[in-house]
Amino acid sequence: SGSAVQSHHRPLLVIMDRNSDLITPIQHTSTYQALIDDVLNHNANRIEFVVEVEENGRKKNVTKRFDLEADDDPFYSSHKFNPFPEAIESNGAELTEVTNRQSEIQAKTGASGNDGVDPMESAANELATAVDSLPALLDRKKKLEVHTSILQAVMNEVAARDVPQFYELESSLATGNYGKDLTKAKRDVLELVTDPAKGNVQDKVRLVIVYCLATTAPTADIDEVAGSMKK
């Protein structure tokens, strides 16, 4: 019985081969960090994207560059794996909170004591508190504003390419929502890849690959879908 108990508690090692999941690295996603890497120029933690600005009444394109380090960026560390809409909402809420706090501190530094406390001493204490907290607050605000710019750049690309449609269709294919209805799966894929206003070539190639990997569609259907992109 002792050997049976010992055998029952023997650790189990499970080795997983990534080759068994070829879909996940290919399909579109919806998290903040993944979308940054997907739709912006992202290399070695440096992000580059072009924005249109107006200068002297003329519009011109300006390249913005930011370095993202999760260890030094509380917002990025907290929200990089969150769904993109949640990151947008959190950025707006945190930026509002920081801006309000900044206004409160700046207002206090100019307030005068009227409750029997020496005005000079009160002003000195308020100023000391502001000096201690304001630099960190401004640094946090600066980082949040950087993320506001990045979020806007990602949103522009996501909207221009209709990334959510690709993500939703690929997710439905990958999770088996179509079941055995291969006709509907092919029809939905064809509708998206043949629409010139939806996505770019890479978006459509990725969708077709997911369609091939996630379904048991016959070769003729796969050839039809792949060939439709050439038209």
Side-chain angles (χ1 to χ4, degrees), residues 66-78:
F66 298 110
D67 292 324
L68 288 181
E69 294 288 348
D71 293 339
D72 301 325
D73 189 335
F75 181 85
Y76 191 52
S77 178
S78 299

Side-chain angles (χ1 to χ4, degrees), residues 36 65 77 96 99 129 131 138 153 179 209:
I36 287 175
R65 298 178 178 86
S77 178
T96 299
T99 302
T129 301
V131 168
L138 292 176
I209 292 174

Side-chain angles (χ1 to χ4, degrees), residues 1-230:
S1 59
S3 61
V5 173
Q6 186 177 6
S7 175
H8 178 72
H9 291 288
R10 182 179 299 168
L12 176 66
L13 175 63
V14 179
I15 300 176
M16 303 294 293
D17 186 356
R18 186 63 179 177
N19 289 332
S20 64
D21 180 15
L22 298 176
I23 295 176
T24 300
I26 297 171
Q27 72 179 106
H28 292 79
T29 186
S30 63
T31 60
Y32 183 28
Q33 184 186 52
L35 280 172
I36 287 175
D37 188 67
D38 198 347
V39 303
L40 301 182
N41 185 2
H42 183 207
N43 184 34
N45 291 337
R46 170 159 289 189
I47 301 172
E48 294 186 8
F49 55 90
V50 176
V51 297
E52 188 180 79
V53 299
E54 188 169 333
E55 188 175 290
N56 298 326
R58 294 184 178 181
K59 293 182 179 181
K60 67 175 184 177
N61 291 332
V62 175
T63 300
K64 288 194 173 185
R65 298 178 178 86
F66 298 110
D67 292 324
L68 288 181
E69 294 288 348
D71 293 339
D72 301 325
D73 189 335
F75 181 85
Y76 191 52
S77 178
S78 299
H79 300 289
K80 62 181 180 178
F81 297 135
N82 287 357
F84 187 66
E86 289 185 17
I88 293 176
E89 184 178 352
S90 297
N91 177 260
E94 291 188 29
L95 192 56
T96 299
E97 177 190 348
V98 168
T99 302
N100 290 341
R101 180 58 181 156
Q102 177 188 355
S103 299
E104 290 174 6
I105 292 174
Q106 291 172 337
K108 286 181 180 180
T109 60
S112 59
N114 56 4
D115 53 0
V117 180
D118 184 351
M120 293 294 291
E121 181 180 353
S122 176
N125 291 336
E126 294 287 357
L127 184 59
T129 301
V131 168
D132 289 340
S133 60
L134 194 56
L137 197 67
L138 292 176
D139 181 65
R140 183 186 171 197
K141 182 180 180 182
K142 181 179 179 181
K143 289 178 179 178
L144 287 171
E145 288 173 340
V146 166
H147 282 285
T148 301
S149 297
I150 296 172
L151 286 161
Q152 184 61 57
V154 172
M155 175 61 76
N156 292 342
E157 286 294 321
V158 166
R161 290 162 49 179
D162 284 296
V163 171
Q165 282 196 255
F166 287 89
Y167 167 71
E168 291 171 5
L169 179 50
E170 289 165 357
S171 296
S172 294
L173 291 167
T175 55
N177 286 353
Y178 284 94
K180 296 182 180 180
D181 193 352
L182 298 179
T183 300
K184 186 176 188 307
K186 184 182 77 169
R187 183 173 65 248
D188 290 348
V189 173
L190 274 172
E191 182 180 352
L192 194 51
V193 298
T194 56
D195 189 336
K198 307 288 186 181
N200 57 26
V201 173
Q202 290 183 351
D203 293 324
K204 295 176 180 181
V205 168
R206 289 162 66 182
L207 172 57
V208 172
I209 292 174
V210 171
Y211 169 67
C212 296
L213 294 173
T215 70
T216 57
T219 302
D221 286 354
I222 294 174
D223 289 343
E224 180 183 353
V225 170
S228 67
M229 292 190 298
K230 300 177 182 179

